[in-house]
Amino acid sequence: MKKLVFALVLFMSVFFAHAQVSINVNIGTPPSWGPEGNDDSRYYYLPDIDTYYDITQRQYIYDNNGKWIRDKRLPSQYRNYDLYGGYKVVLNDYNGNTPYTYHKKHRENYPKGYHGKPQKNRGNKPEKNKSDHKHGNENQKNSKGNSGKDHKHDDHH
């Protein structure tokens, strides 16, 4: 009888340990520019630039002349796009590997300029590097007042 109880306890502990692991599977850490909440979603659709973002792979997915590209960076024409300011559609209804299967539907439902409910980003937008501004001012000071001298390099070393 003790062996049966021991086996049952062992089986139950393995079962619950397995259940705990499967419950805590993390889809991925959303980026700081992602909207708060929806931690179990895998994709965002960015209507302004007609691009998907795969949270688990940390990749952008976009159409390049009929071929879907996955890349860690946005396409060159969108490198200056403000991910913090742009609207992100959280795709809760798809978990496969090809969200663009429904691209036509996404473009129709979420056209460029689309804004649904207000969103709050997970993190704050990083500030521009202030040291760049500081160095820019120093360079301006040095180039302004050289009492009319030409700015050619002297070779008196």
Side-chain angles (χ1 to χ4, degrees), residues 82-131:
D82 180 10
L83 291 164
Y84 286 85
Y87 196 82
K88 284 75 69 174
V89 176
V90 180
L91 301 179
N92 290 318
D93 57 350
Y94 184 78
N95 287 316
N97 293 319
T98 56
Y100 46 84
T101 300
Y102 301 101
H103 184 239
K104 184 177 178 183
K105 174 186 156 194
H106 294 147
R107 283 185 76 168
E108 287 173 4
N109 292 342
Y110 315 110
K112 186 174 185 172
Y114 173 84
H115 286 277
K117 294 179 183 176
Q119 293 178 327
K120 182 174 180 188
N121 294 326
R122 302 177 72 77
N124 294 325
K125 184 176 181 177
E127 290 186 30
K128 295 274 187 192
N129 191 347
K130 290 180 181 178
S131 65

Side-chain angles (χ1 to χ4, degrees), residues 26 28-35 37-41 44 53 55 58 122:
N26 191 354
T29 304
S32 60
W33 52 263
N38 302 299
D39 290 345
D40 55 350
S41 299
Y44 302 143
Y53 182 75
I55 297 166
R58 296 182 178 189
R122 302 177 72 77

